[in-house]
Each structure stands twice: as structure tokens, then as C-alpha cells.
């Protein structure tokens, strides 16, 4: 990866866990367990190659519609991961943030999120963001409500994109440079609608549990071939 421009912020829609399991005659929950493992590997790889922010879509506000057993398994995997992350953060001085409607999570998960927030204030390294109970439209509506409250109380008087961005869950996080969607679908599924205005999109048929550092290298190589103009002329 010499002479490669490493994206500062990579966002990934974790898709294809269910199909990965089905292909092997396993329950969907086995796909999520493997997907959580893949996330660990890819996060470590991102940190090692110099990516500064990795944001993953782990559970959307619409995913509560899934069968209760499946939701329970995903929540358990996230609980395990947050426990483990607390140790890793302290060891490697990394930051982690949960983006989404945290109040809709279980009290146990909320306590873990509060703990990771607190540890994150101490460090300044690689940052992993987990979108949890997250919806892009809901995030924008939530930001508008909070802005309206601050406007009414006189805390703010101006409005521009930068000021409004500070009301998003992603305040202080730069916009994603590269958005990757494995799993074969080519849509954004209510993910980071505000933040992906100028992100480069990369789609692959590989199912998320099969995603490897090599696949990430391919996405980054493709990103390097893109000509990012941010609306400017050629
Ligand atoms: C989408 O695949 C995946 C999810 C809705 C859950 C993702 C959650 C995890 C990988 C668990 C823990 C995460 C972390 C970050 C530790 P799908 O079930 O929609 O797959 P399909 O399209 O093949 O059915």
C-alpha cells in the first residue's frame, strides 16, 4: 500500500451476515457472531494502516422489527464487544463512540456507552464509531429539535452547515471519505445521510463475514482511482 492515500474516515454498512449463515445451513445468529469477529479484524487493520475513524452500521432503528431471538443475539454481541472495547481502549489509547438513540438501548448497554464516552475523553488516537439504534433521518430530526431548543433559549442565533453539523451524533467527527457496502445491495439504507454528501461509495458482493483486509485494500485502491472534486470543476 505504498504511495496510497489512506482515507481518514471509512464507513461500512455491515451487510450479509444472515446470507452467510444460510449458505452454511447455520442460524442467522451465527452470521452475526462471525460478523462481529470480522469487525474486530477490520478495525485492527484500519488502525494499523493509519485510518483515523472507522464507523460501522451495526443496528438500525428499523432492525428492532427482526425476530426477538435475533435482536437478543445482536445486543449480546454488542454488549460483549463494548466490554472488551473498554479494555482495548485503555491499552491502545483509542476512542470509541456509539452513534444513535442511546436512550432506546437497555440500561446495561447505556452504562457501557457512558463508560466508553468517559474513556474516550482521555485519548486522541484511532476512533471506532458504532451506529446503534441509528437512523439517518431520525438523526437529522433530532438535530433540528435540539437546534430549535437552543435557538429558543438564545444559546445560538446563527445557522449554517457547520453549526447544524454540531447537533448531529457525529459532531466533531469528519465526514466519511469512503463508504463501503458489502453484501451485494447498492443502497444507503438510512445511514449517515447528512455526512455522506461527498463520500465515495464502494459496493462489493462479498458478504460481511467474508470481508478481509485484502478486500479493504481493494476498496482503498479504488478510492485512490477516484477524482474527488467536491462539486468543483475538473
Ligand atoms: C446485517 O446483515 C447485519 C446486522 C443487522 C447486524 C450487524 C451486527 C453485528 C455484526 C454484531 C455486532 C457488531 C459489532 C460492531 C461488534 P443481515 O442480517 O441483514 O444480512 P442479510 O442481508 O444477509 O440477511
Amino acid at each position: 500500500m505504498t504511495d496510497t492515500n489512506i482515507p481518514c474516515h471509512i464507513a461500512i454498512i455491515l451487510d450479509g451476515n444472515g446470507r452467510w449463515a444460510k449458505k452454511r445451513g447455520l442460524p442467522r445468529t451465527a452470521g452475526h457472531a462471525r460478523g462481529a469477529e470480522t469487525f474486530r479484524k477490520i478495525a485492527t487493520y484500519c488502525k494499523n494502516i493509519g485510518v483515523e475513524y472507522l464507523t460501522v452500521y451495526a443496528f438500525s432503528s428499523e432492525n428492532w422489527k427482526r425476530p426477538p431471538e435475533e435482536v437478543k443475539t445482536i445486543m449480546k454481541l454488542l454488549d460483549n464487544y463494548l466490554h472488551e472495547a473498554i479494555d482495548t481502549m485503555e491499552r491502545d489509547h483509542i476512542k470509541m463512540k456509539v452513534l444513535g438513540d442511546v436512550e432506546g438501548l437497555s440500561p446495561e448497554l447505556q452504562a457501557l456507552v457512558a463508560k466508553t464516552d468517559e474513556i474516550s475523553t482521555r485519548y486522541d488516537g484511532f476512533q471506532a464509531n458504532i451506529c446503534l439504534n441509528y437512523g439517518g433521518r431520525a438523526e437529522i430530526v433530532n438535530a433540528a429539535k435540539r437546534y430549535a431548543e437552543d435557538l429558543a433559549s438564545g444559546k445560538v442565533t446563527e445557522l449554517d452547515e457547520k453549526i447544524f453539523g454540531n447537533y448531529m451524533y457525529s459532531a466533531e467527527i469528519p465526514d466519511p471519505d469512503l463508504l463501503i457496502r458489502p453484501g451485494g445491495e447498492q443502497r444507503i439504507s438510512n445511514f449517515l445521510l447528512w455526512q455522506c454528501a461527498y463520500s465515495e461509495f464502494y459496493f462489493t458482493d462479498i458478504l460481511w463475514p467474508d470481508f478481509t483486509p485484502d478486500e479493504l485494500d481493494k476498496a482503498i485502491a479504488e478510492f485512490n482511482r477516484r477524482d474527488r472534486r467536491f462539486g468543483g470543476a475538473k
Side-chain angles (χ1 to χ4, degrees):
M1 300 287 287
T2 39
D3 293 335
T4 301
N5 173 20
I6 299 292
C8 167
H9 184 175
I10 297 181
I12 310 181
I13 298 178
L14 309 182
D15 194 19
N17 295 344
R19 278 164 288 161
W20 182 91
K22 197 170 167 212
K23 266 177 36 185
R24 287 163 179 77
L26 297 170
R28 292 175 58 79
T29 47
H32 296 313
R34 182 59 80 98
E37 283 311 309
T38 303
F39 167 72
R40 285 179 177 83
K41 283 189 202 136
I42 295 298
T44 305
Y45 185 67
C46 281
K47 176 176 173 285
N48 291 344
I49 62 172
V51 172
E52 292 177 44
Y53 299 86
L54 172 68
T55 302
V56 295
Y57 203 5
F59 196 83
S60 77
S61 31
E62 288 76 37
N63 285 154
W64 298 107
K65 289 184 241 161
R66 293 190 174 209
E69 264 315 298
E70 185 173 341
V71 171
K72 207 170 133 195
T73 299
I74 296 174
M75 291 301 151
K76 181 75 195 140
L77 288 165
L78 287 160
D79 183 283
N80 290 348
Y81 178 72
L82 289 177
H83 270 107
E84 180 191 307
I86 286 168
D87 293 338
T88 318
M89 291 167 78
E90 307 256 24
R91 191 191 64 211
D92 295 344
H93 292 195
I94 61 178
K95 293 165 67 135
M96 216 193 80
K97 196 166 167 56
V98 168
L99 310 182
D101 179 8
V102 172
E103 285 171 15
L105 300 173
S106 69
E108 293 77 16
L109 276 178
Q110 287 190 47
L112 289 169
V113 171
K115 179 90 183 142
T116 55
D117 281 348
E118 186 271 311
I119 300 173
S120 293
T121 60
R122 290 185 232 150
Y123 303 124
D124 199 17
F126 171 76
Q127 177 165 336
N129 303 307
I130 317 275
C131 293
L132 199 45
N133 197 18
Y134 175 88
R137 287 184 174 179
E139 178 182 27
I140 295 169
V141 170
N142 177 58
K145 280 189 185 154
R146 294 200 303 122
Y147 176 81
E149 281 164 17
D150 282 358
L151 187 69
S153 70
K155 212 166 145 193
V156 283
T157 50
E158 306 285 311
L159 180 60
D160 60 22
E161 290 178 12
K162 190 166 183 295
I163 293 169
F164 195 68
N166 289 333
Y167 287 85
M168 295 286 168
Y169 298 133
S170 61
E172 292 173 28
I173 301 171
D175 289 342
D177 300 290
L178 172 62
L179 174 99
I180 301 174
R181 181 166 191 156
E185 312 288 359
Q186 301 199 358
R187 54 176 171 258
I188 194 160
S189 300
N190 205 14
F191 186 45
L192 303 179
L193 298 180
W194 172 269
Q195 297 84 348
C196 281
Y198 285 104
S199 304
E200 295 296 329
F201 287 20
Y202 179 86
F203 299 104
T204 166
D205 289 339
I206 304 274
L207 303 174
W208 173 249
D210 288 329
F211 200 87
T212 57
D214 269 0
E215 293 300 329
L216 192 80
D217 285 349
K218 279 189 211 161
I220 294 175
E222 170 62 27
F223 171 79
N224 274 263
R225 289 191 285 273
R226 305 270 176 96
D227 175 20
R228 300 186 81 194
R229 294 194 295 280
F230 300 93
K234 248 187 180 169

